[in-house]
Amino acid sequence: MLDSAIQIDQLVHQYKQKNSPAISLSHWQVAKGERIFLHGDSGSGKSTLLNLLSGVLKPTSGSIKLLGEDVTAMSNSQRDGFRANHIGVVFQTLNLIPYLSVLENIKLAAYFANNKADVIEHAKSLISQLQLTAEVLNKPVSELSIGQQQRVAIVRALVNKPEILLVDEPTSALDASARDAFMQILLDICSNNNTTLIFVSHDKTLEQYFQTKTNINSLITIGESA
């Protein structure tokens, strides 16, 4: 359906490691612009699902359609290109390059998406919305606090104005007041851009910010390896 941002059917993923469990998901559909809080305990498959949605992992079988495109039928390079142009990802490990400046990290995301727009001005706007000062753009990432790095990772994920944003445990290093401010800003940005948000966390206190809450155990079945 054209109104679906995400549609998954008969998905099975088997890790290559010996005796690793297989995960399966029979069907899941997310509408464009929907914002979903996806929660579950560690080891329940949350991060694996995000890796499958982002195209970092390719499932053993089944289909994943994003914005009407079957990403499971794409080559590795095609999936990389699709992710760069349509999906923003904030992984738990952040994946920022520590010896580069904040702006250089953000520019890399724009480069991979072949984004020729005014990245600096957009980055400044996002940095300001996330309550960081413009001076941070020229600082090496290694000089930032973890909380600041998490916000920079959000800016990098949003700089190409993705239709889908995948976020994995982005508030783990923030205190309660900073976390609440961060959540409100993130949701406002997604609302203003009609961005589909999949927000993954084991912290159930964050579900208050979402109308749609989904337990990963209601989606994914973890079974013995094939």
Side-chain angles (χ1 to χ4, degrees), residues 6 28 46 49 76 97 100-101 112 114 131 175 177 179 195:
I6 299 168
W28 192 38
K46 302 187 306 297
L49 179 57
N76 290 342
I97 300 174
L100 294 182
S101 72
F112 287 125
N114 197 27
Q131 299 181 344
D175 60 32
S177 60
R179 180 199 66 190
T195 305

Side-chain angles (χ1 to χ4, degrees), residues 24-25 33-34 43 46 49-50 57 76 98 109 113 130 132 142 168 173 178 182 185 187 205 208 211 214:
S24 60
L25 193 165
E34 195 169 1
K46 302 187 306 297
L49 179 57
L50 287 195
L57 291 177
N76 290 342
L130 286 164
L132 293 171
S142 58
D168 192 1
F182 173 87
I185 293 164
L187 291 171
T205 64
Q208 63 183 299
Q211 286 189 333
T214 302

Side-chain angles (χ1 to χ4, degrees), residues 47-118:
S47 295
T48 298
L49 179 57
L50 287 195
N51 283 323
L52 289 163
L53 287 171
S54 66
V56 171
L57 291 177
K58 186 173 182 178
T60 307
S61 61
S63 72
I64 301 173
K65 290 184 179 179
L66 304 178
L67 307 170
E69 298 287 334
D70 188 351
V71 295
T72 50
M74 296 178 182
S75 66
N76 290 342
S77 61
Q78 287 173 327
R79 287 200 311 279
D80 289 344
F82 186 89
R83 178 172 59 252
N85 284 285
H86 299 285
I87 305 172
V89 185
V90 182
F91 291 115
Q92 200 168 352
T93 54
L94 301 183
N95 291 344
L96 295 170
I97 300 174
Y99 55 83
L100 294 182
S101 72
V102 167
L103 183 57
E104 287 168 334
N105 270 275
I106 294 168
K107 280 184 170 180
L108 270 180
Y111 170 79
F112 287 125
N114 197 27
N115 179 358
K116 296 184 175 19
D118 193 339

Side-chain angles (χ1 to χ4, degrees), residues 127-145:
I127 284 285
S128 175
Q129 288 178 71
L130 286 164
Q131 299 181 344
L132 293 171
T133 62
E135 302 138 17
V136 80
L137 287 169
N138 296 314
K139 287 186 176 182
V141 166
S142 58
E143 293 183 8
L144 304 183
S145 69

